[in-house]
Amino acid sequence: MIWWVMIFCGVVTFFTRFVMFSDMAPKKLPDWSEDVLSFVPVAVLTAIIVPSVLIGADNAVEITDNAHLPAAILAVLVAWLTRSVLATIGSGLAALWCLNWLIF
Amino acid sequence: MSPTPSHPSRQQEFWSGVRQELPLQLGVAPFGLVFGVLGLAAGLTPLQTILMSSIVFGGASQVVLVQLWGSVPGPVVGASVSMINLRHALYSASVAPYLRALPLRWRLPLAYLLTDEAYAVTINRLRNETPGPFQHYHLLGTGTLLWVCWQITTITGVVFGATIPPEWSLEFAIPLTFIAVVVPILKRRADFIACGTAAVISVIGQPLPWNSWIILAGMGGIMAGWLSLRIMAGRGDA
């Protein structure tokens, strides 16, 4: 059973990535599509980031007692100031480890 | 001497993709390790866990698959993973104008390699740098590096996972990777509106079935961003 679920998920994943590359996709997208698609990275990645920072194990929003939140805010500031991927990931992880060790 | 057109060669495009993708592996590598651990914890065999990383090749979908596996029926697992994956159709649409002219033998592997992190790096090159005849090699570079790193770290997680202390919170590396990608591309006021809208929907949409919040938040953010762009353009202050 797990193999079937895995293969199904693999096929679905591949086809969602391929769908607009295929010959069935419209050859020319309308003019407004460029503006619309320019929001794809920001909107979709934000939708992944925010719940993984705010939502706890019991599917509830955790604002207090959540070391991920201040660590993520610090990472946003570092990303804003340095524009460096390494500095952002490094500072966020370091902040989480310090907070967990000190307080939580 | 006649001027020669100066566009990056195949090798230059490929290696610049690899180079630009490299820093993101600081986030991808821990995620791969975590997936290796989660797979075994969910009752999959080492072989199943390792092969899932090349059959599905999608970090978030693989984690959801193993987390749901065993607790909900197979078709619900499939629906959930498909919902999480719908965002790739948006990536596909956004990259397609640059790749559609390529032969199928290129479009098939490039589609397979179109992950969050490879897309995020390559779309930047496609949009903001001079178009070149070999620009698809850039996606080949970002995608291949990510694929290799994902396979190696999955295997490492399966083999050594039991020795990684959970208090290292390695799974936190993945939102950090995306923060590092999103923050620098927030430029227009409409980008901030798209970001805020997606954030709010992704939280209030949590109770919805099959993880549909992820695609609703994505679509909501895109619509809010586009509408505000239109409104501001109409007022002349975009």
Side-chain angles (χ1 to χ4, degrees):
Chain A
M1 181 64 172
I2 182 71
W3 287 109
W4 290 113
V5 174
M6 208 150 99
I7 290 166
F8 172 82
C9 290
V11 169
V12 167
T13 304
F14 175 78
F15 275 100
T16 49
R17 288 169 180 169
F18 182 69
V19 59
M20 297 305 288
F21 294 2
S22 74
D23 295 317
M24 290 179 301
K27 282 280 168 284
K28 173 106 178 69
L29 292 173
D31 289 337
W32 48 263
S33 68
E34 192 182 335
D35 279 343
V36 172
L37 294 173
S38 73
F39 293 101
V40 171
V42 168
V44 176
L45 296 178
T46 301
I48 302 175
I49 295 167
V50 174
S52 58
V53 172
L54 285 184
I55 307 295
D58 51 354
N59 280 338
V61 179
E62 289 179 1
I63 303 287
T64 54
D65 280 349
N66 178 1
H68 292 82
L69 184 56
I73 292 170
L74 178 80
V76 168
L77 290 175
V78 170
W80 187 258
L81 294 173
T82 68
R83 323 243 130 188
S84 153
V85 175
L86 286 183
T88 304
I89 300 173
S91 65
L93 276 179
L96 182 66
W97 292 336
C98 289
L99 287 167
N100 276 334
W101 183 66
L102 287 171
I103 316 166
F104 293 100
Chain B
M1 276 202 3
S2 63
T4 49
S6 63
H7 50 69
S9 68
R10 293 178 173 86
Q11 287 81 4
Q12 280 167 332
E13 292 277 12
F14 179 84
W15 288 109
S16 96
V18 170
R19 252 194 324 277
Q20 290 166 14
E21 186 68 26
L22 201 53
L24 274 77
Q25 305 316 299
L26 184 64
V28 171
F31 196 28
L33 290 176
V34 168
F35 171 72
V37 176
L38 287 177
L40 296 188
L44 272 65
T45 65
L47 183 71
Q48 287 167 338
T49 308
I50 290 168
L51 282 184
M52 195 188 295
S53 277
S54 43
I55 295 177
V56 180
F57 189 41
S61 7
Q62 289 176 226
V63 168
V64 168
L65 204 166
V66 296
Q67 278 175 345
L68 294 182
W69 180 251
S71 59
V72 296
V76 178
V77 179
S80 231
V81 171
S82 310
M83 201 52 99
I84 292 216
N85 269 322
L86 276 181
R87 70 182 187 281
H88 291 115
L90 296 171
Y91 299 162
S92 182
S94 128
V95 173
Y98 303 94
L99 305 179
R100 197 169 289 132
L102 293 170
L104 201 59
R105 70 188 151 80
W106 267 103
R107 284 178 285 146
L108 288 171
L110 289 182
Y112 172 70
L113 292 174
L114 193 66
T115 51
D116 293 299
E117 292 88 350
Y119 165 75
V121 172
T122 290
I123 194 65
N124 222 5
R125 182 261 170 268
L126 294 174
R127 276 199 189 132
N128 300 329
E129 289 171 39
T130 329
F134 306 121
Q135 54 188 4
H136 50 291
Y137 277 81
H138 191 277
L139 180 54
L140 187 67
T142 56
T144 305
L145 178 73
L146 186 78
W147 190 88
V148 170
C149 180
W150 187 242
Q151 307 308 324
I152 292 175
T153 54
T154 302
I155 295 170
T156 312
V158 165
V159 177
F160 297 106
T163 61
I164 302 172
E167 58 271 22
W168 285 9
S169 306
L170 286 183
E171 69 286 348
F172 190 51
I174 209 65
L176 290 174
T177 315
F178 293 146
I179 287 173
V181 170
V182 166
V183 171
I185 56 173
L186 291 172
K187 288 184 183 134
R188 303 164 292 182
R189 235 188 301 171
D191 291 327
F192 287 89
I193 293 170
C195 177
T197 309
V200 169
I201 300 177
S202 69
V203 171
I204 58 177
Q206 286 295 317
L208 296 173
W210 305 324
N211 291 301
S212 49
W213 53 269
I214 190 163
I215 193 70
L216 287 177
M219 301 295 277
I222 292 165
M223 274 173 57
W226 184 60
L227 283 177
S228 52
L229 195 68
R230 293 283 303 260
I231 293 167
M232 284 187 275
R235 291 203 319 235
D237 63 351

